[in-house]
Amino acid sequence: MTRLVVVSGGGSGIGRAVAEGFAEAGDDVLIIGRRASTLEEAAAAVNAAVAGERVSWRAADLTDLADIEKVAAQLAEGGRSVDVLVNNAGGFYGLDQPDTLAGYAAQWRANFEGNVLPAVLLTEALLPQLTRPGARILTLSSIAALRGPGTYGGAKAALHPWNAEQAAALGPQGITANIIAPGFVEDTEFFGERMTPAGHAARVAQTLVGKAGQATEIAALARYLASPEAGFVTGQIYQINGGALLGRG
């Protein structure tokens, strides 16, 4: 039976690679994000690559309750349960060092609202529609959750105890919940123009394998954790950072 996979932040970077990986495996995928043109282009490209209409899209701001409720209603109207939910939406908000208390408060709020609320609220909205038993919840965290920087890392770290809570509550229903915490992954929009050759080299040097991560490697881990073979894996934080945090977490 064809599964339904929902991927937030699925229009680019890791989210797009995850969506493509599931589509290649024969799953139906709904990608969600704020930028309609990016989502539309991603869906068309992946569908062309897999030679089928596997990927659909929906523009939504996952910090907006009305948008989230519309997404949940659309899925409910479709009559299919959600087999895999990948919470990937997020980003680094507020790049400049604040010089006022108001600035610090705004930066912390922006990172919390942009990284925590999309995962928590979308999951909560879709809980009634998750397949029981067998659904998989995967949430993208970051190496920053274990070493900083504080505002972005702190927001990502907040997802870890929440994931443990989800795993404990949903385990008896046959639903697993796990965290994927990538290190440096190149060729995404995360760093944008901030990434320099020196910055790239420094991040590669932190690894034990001498290379940057690839979005396809994160996608491969996501597919494993969403597989029937991973039914005994839940409540975990999977680091995938080339050994950059060896012995931590």
Side-chain angles (χ1 to χ4, degrees):
M1 184 176 178
T2 303
R3 298 188 302 178
L4 175 59
V5 180
V6 175
V7 182
S8 69
S12 63
I14 290 173
R16 177 166 168 169
V18 168
E20 184 166 3
F22 281 112
E24 288 175 344
D27 296 315
D28 291 334
V29 184
L30 172 66
I31 56 175
I32 304 170
R34 290 177 297 179
R35 299 174 296 175
S37 60
T38 299
L39 295 168
E40 184 177 21
E41 186 278 328
V46 173
N47 284 334
V50 302
E53 295 298 314
R54 290 292 182 191
V55 181
S56 58
W57 61 274
R58 171 74 190 239
D61 179 350
L62 296 180
T63 66
D64 185 291
L65 294 180
D67 273 13
I68 295 172
E69 289 169 347
K70 289 176 183 177
V71 169
Q74 177 189 12
L75 287 166
E77 289 170 5
R80 294 178 63 183
S81 62
V82 176
D83 300 291
V84 182
L85 171 59
V86 182
N87 292 307
N88 174 68
F92 197 156
Y93 301 95
L95 301 178
D96 297 328
Q97 183 70 14
D99 56 6
T100 66
L101 283 177
Y104 273 106
Q107 191 175 82
W108 276 93
R109 288 193 183 99
N111 276 284
F112 181 85
E113 291 177 0
N115 289 287
V116 178
L117 292 186
V120 172
L121 298 179
L122 183 61
T123 301
E124 189 67 26
L126 296 185
L127 277 181
Q129 297 165 234
L130 295 181
T131 302
R132 291 167 169 80
R136 306 283 188 255
I137 301 171
L138 306 177
T139 299
L140 273 291
S141 175
S142 169
I143 192 173
L146 299 160
R147 71 178 190 189
T151 49
Y152 172 71
K156 288 297 189 182
L159 294 169
H160 296 184
W162 169 76
N163 179 74
E165 180 182 60
Q166 294 296 305
L170 299 174
Q173 301 172 45
I175 297 173
T176 65
N178 291 288
I179 292 280
I180 298 174
F184 173 50
V185 176
E186 64 182 0
D187 296 329
T188 72
E189 296 181 348
F190 183 81
F191 289 97
E193 296 180 356
R194 293 177 294 131
M195 180 52 65
T196 64
H200 185 283
R203 286 168 175 79
V204 169
Q206 293 173 0
T207 73
L208 305 182
V209 294
K211 75 177 201 69
Q214 304 298 314
T216 53
E217 294 171 319
I218 313 304
L221 177 56
R223 290 197 303 278
Y224 165 69
L225 291 173
S227 70
E229 291 77 15
F232 199 50
V233 180
T234 195
Q236 302 303 304
I237 301 168
Y238 271 75
Q239 292 195 60
I240 177 167
N241 55 46
L245 274 184
L246 180 66
R248 295 182 59 188

